[in-house]
Amino acid sequence: AQRVTQPEKLLSVFKGAPVELKCNYSYSGSPELFWYVQYSRQRLQLLLRHISRESIKGFTADLNKGETSFHLKKPFAQEEDSAMYYCAPTYSGGGADGLTFGKGTHLIIQP
Amino acid sequence: KAGVTQTPRYLIKTRGQQVTLSCSPISGHRSVSWYQQTPGQGLQFLFEYFSETQRNKGNFPGRFSGRQFSNSRSEMNVSTLELGDSALYLCASSWGQGLSTGELFFGEGSRLTVL
């Protein structure tokens, strides 16, 4: 079965430090990958998708097909980045595996 | 335009009862998907509906069911409730079928507590 792994349930870094939230997937095809974010008391929302190759709120994510990873990175963390982050690879073949989220990483930025 | 609306926001049930949750998608969106969110398991996919048809289904027992109406509004039902069904149930809508077609827009969720 297709799977997605976010190895860190909790990640705490200091303001201004670099941040990397890890995401590994096991998909046999060519997945499309997304990162979703949930700030405190807000709805879950899309942060970025890999095909757009854009930087959102200073975050970038590169798809590494060789390592089957899609890590989310930001060079200088800010306190407002504290949130729950979910990696969501999707398989173009659809099916139940086509709508799978990782278990999430709770990012805490300390002042 | 209005976002995804879920009702009720909070509800308490007892074991053995059933519950129906409702989701109104963003106007123009034809796909509605449902997720169960718990602290231990994160977001788990329940099912997806597109044009009134169930297109994808997650690994949940048959007690969990859903449907979509012609106006794209969706309901999910859980019968014979168990303590482990206590969770936040999230609904998301998108214009096309499946996560890969674009951004999912989430509702605020329905918090179910089973006693």
Side-chain angles (χ1 to χ4, degrees):
Chain A
Q2 320 284 22
R3 291 193 309 179
V4 54
T5 303
Q6 291 182 251
E8 303 127 335
K9 290 184 70 173
L10 176 66
L11 182 62
S12 179
V13 301
F14 286 102
K15 176 182 174 182
V19 171
E20 183 179 50
L21 290 89
K22 292 184 170 58
C23 172
N24 291 92
Y25 63 91
S26 61
Y27 274 62
S28 55
S30 296
E32 185 171 348
L33 294 116
F34 300 78
W35 276 97
Y36 278 75
V37 61
Q38 189 169 28
Y39 300 103
S40 179
R41 300 190 192 88
Q42 294 188 30
R43 303 179 185 215
L44 193 60
Q45 59 187 285
L46 177 67
L47 178 62
L48 56 80
R49 54 191 300 182
H50 90 275
I51 63 169
S52 63
R53 298 185 182 279
E54 57 188 347
S55 173
I56 304 294
K57 298 185 179 182
F59 284 97
T60 59
D62 292 322
L63 173 61
N64 186 322
K65 291 187 177 181
E67 295 181 359
T68 58
S69 68
F70 187 53
H71 302 330
L72 184 68
K73 300 176 183 178
K74 184 170 182 176
F76 306 103
Q78 299 173 307
E79 289 184 66
E80 55 264 33
D81 296 329
S82 294
M84 196 73 185
Y85 291 81
Y86 294 93
C87 176
T90 183
Y91 179 47
S92 60
D97 293 332
L99 290 161
T100 301
F101 286 77
K103 292 189 177 182
T105 296
H106 187 188
L107 176 63
I108 297 174
I109 307 300
Q110 299 189 51
Chain B
K1 54 186 173 182
V4 176
T5 305
Q6 292 187 245
T7 58
R9 292 290 316 282
Y10 303 91
L11 64 167
I12 300 174
K13 294 284 186 179
T14 56
R15 281 183 298 174
Q17 287 187 309
Q18 73 161 11
V19 66
T20 299
L21 308 178
S22 179
C23 173
S24 294
I26 290 172
S27 178
H29 285 189
R30 297 168 62 190
S31 173
V32 173
S33 52
W34 289 88
Y35 299 84
Q36 182 193 66
Q37 187 177 34
T38 57
Q41 297 299 317
L43 277 167
Q44 291 187 285
F45 170 65
L46 282 156
F47 27 65
E48 181 201 10
Y49 287 87
F50 182 81
S51 295
E52 302 179 65
T53 302
Q54 187 180 92
R55 302 291 177 151
N56 293 299
K57 189 177 190 304
N59 189 27
F60 276 80
R63 300 186 296 107
F64 292 81
S65 63
R67 58 178 176 169
Q68 185 179 36
F69 302 95
S70 58
N71 61 357
S72 294
R73 189 177 71 85
S74 176
E75 289 181 348
M76 68 162 281
N77 184 78
V78 187
S79 62
T80 320
L81 284 166
E82 300 177 359
L83 295 179
D85 297 332
S86 295
L88 181 67
Y89 290 87
L90 292 173
C91 163
S93 75
S94 64
W95 67 268
Q97 177 188 344
L99 186 62
S100 63
T101 59
E103 182 176 355
L104 289 180
F105 293 83
F106 283 85
E108 293 180 288
S110 293
R111 171 79 59 188
L112 170 66
T113 301
V114 181
L115 302 176

